[in-house]
C-alpha cells in the first residue's frame, strides 16, 4: 500500500523525466486515490519501462497495465479451437460499420484514396 509521500515521489520522478508533466496538489490527490493500493516497486519498474519506450509522460493506466510478456497463454482446449479455425469471423455488417468509422476518422469517402 502506497503512502501519499510515495505517490508524490513517483510523480516527481515522472516530472524529472518529462518536462511537460505538471505536478500539482489536485493531480497528486487524484493519482494517490487510484494508486494507493499499489506497490511502489511495481510502479517504479513500470515507469522505467515506460521511460525507455515513450517520449510522452505516462498516464495512470500506462503504469498499471501488465507488460507484454505477461500475456495470458491459451489453455490446450482454446489452442485447439484456434488451430482448428473454429473462431467465428466478424459479420459483414460489423466489418462495414468498422470500415465506415475508419473512413470517417480519416476524412475519406467510400472508394476514395
Amino acid at each position: 500500500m502506497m503512502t501519499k509521500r510515495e505517490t508524490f515521489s513517483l510523480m516527481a520522478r515522472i516530472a524529472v523525466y518529462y518536462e511537460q508533466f505538471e505536478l500539482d496538489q489536485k493531480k497528486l490527490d487524484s493519482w494517490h486515490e487510484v494508486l494507493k493500493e499499489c506497490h511502489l516497486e511495481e510502479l517504479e519498474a513500470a515507469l522505467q519501462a515506460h521511460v525507455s519506450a515513450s517520449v510522452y509522460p505516462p498516464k495512470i493506466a500506462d503504469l498499471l497495465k501488465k507488460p507484454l510478456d505477461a500475456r495470458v497463454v491459451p489453455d490446450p482446449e482454446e489452442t485447439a479451437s484456434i488451430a482448428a479455425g473454429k473462431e467465428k469471423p466478424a459479420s459483414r455488417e460489423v466489418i462495414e460499420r468498422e470500415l465506415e468509422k475508419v473512413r470517417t476518422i480519416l476524412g475519406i469517402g467510400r472508394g476514395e484514396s
Side-chain angles (χ1 to χ4, degrees):
M1 184 140 166
M2 283 181 50
T3 65
K4 192 172 272 192
R5 184 179 302 264
E6 289 171 327
T7 303
F8 174 79
S9 172
L10 178 72
M11 294 177 75
R13 285 185 57 196
I14 295 170
V16 168
Y17 294 133
Y18 299 97
E19 294 174 0
Q20 68 270 40
F21 185 82
E22 295 182 17
L23 178 53
D24 58 39
Q25 188 63 49
K26 184 176 180 180
K27 191 179 229 182
L28 173 62
D29 294 341
S30 298
W31 277 54
H32 181 68
E33 185 62 32
V34 175
L35 299 177
K36 65 184 175 187
E37 299 299 324
C38 299
H39 297 283
L40 180 60
E41 299 78 24
E42 292 173 3
L43 293 173
E44 287 176 333
L47 175 59
Q48 290 294 35
H50 184 85
V51 166
S52 66
S54 179
V55 297
Y56 300 104
K59 303 220 179 312
I60 293 174
D62 295 325
L63 299 178
L64 295 178
K65 67 182 172 186
K66 300 205 182 296
L68 293 177
D69 60 337
R71 298 181 310 180
V72 175
V73 177
D75 62 27
E77 292 81 24
E78 188 177 0
T79 301
S81 173
I82 293 168
K86 294 179 183 176
E87 296 292 312
K88 184 178 177 186
S91 70
R92 188 71 189 155
E93 295 80 26
V94 170
I95 293 170
E96 287 300 323
R97 187 171 54 242
E98 294 303 313
L99 286 173
E100 185 57 38
K101 288 179 187 176
V102 171
R103 286 192 286 277
T104 301
I105 290 169
L106 295 175
I108 59 176
R110 188 177 180 136
E112 295 179 26
S113 55

